[in-house]
Amino acid sequence: MSNLYSAQLLVFLALYLLVFVLCVVAIVDLARRPAAAFVSGGKRTKKFWGVLLGVALAVAFVAIPPPLGIGALSFLALGSAVASIVYLVDVKPAIAPYSGRGGRPGGSRGGW
């Protein structure tokens, strides 16, 4: 029974660490984008996403299970994952052409 508990604990730890890393990746990308890109892309404001992802990062940090964290608010870690995924999958591609990083609205296809 103890081995099963240890395996479950490792799986939960890995999942919560994955959510935490996802939040870190999203907030680092957010910090590197100009505020004007959010308005141009039609995706709220940089401040809105900063607050949302900052709260998501704090919740993900607090939700890490006991060997590394305190494990509080673990049920809210799903919301942290959702916020980060929405940013990375929806907002980031929409603002990329306006971020001044060589992105183009048509994608990164080659041409003449």
Side-chain angles (χ1 to χ4, degrees):
M1 188 71 163
S2 178
N3 288 336
L4 179 63
Y5 177 73
S6 297
Q8 287 177 338
L9 187 61
L10 287 175
V11 169
F12 281 126
L13 181 62
L15 290 174
Y16 284 111
L17 286 175
L18 178 68
V19 170
F20 179 73
V21 168
L22 195 64
C23 290
V24 169
V25 168
I27 208 159
V28 166
D29 183 76
L30 172 83
R32 297 178 57 168
R33 304 287 176 171
F38 291 85
V39 177
S40 298
K43 296 294 179 182
R44 298 272 182 149
T45 63
K46 184 174 182 174
K47 184 177 180 179
F48 170 82
W49 285 105
V51 169
L52 185 68
L53 292 175
V55 170
L57 181 64
V59 168
F61 179 72
V62 172
I64 296 174
L68 296 178
I70 59 175
L73 302 176
S74 59
F75 64 97
L76 294 177
L78 180 62
S80 296
V82 168
S84 297
I85 290 169
V86 166
Y87 175 81
L88 292 171
V89 173
D90 182 43
V91 177
K92 182 180 173 183
I95 65 172
Y98 308 103
S99 295
R101 299 184 185 270
R104 295 190 303 261
S108 59
R109 288 173 259 167
W112 297 94

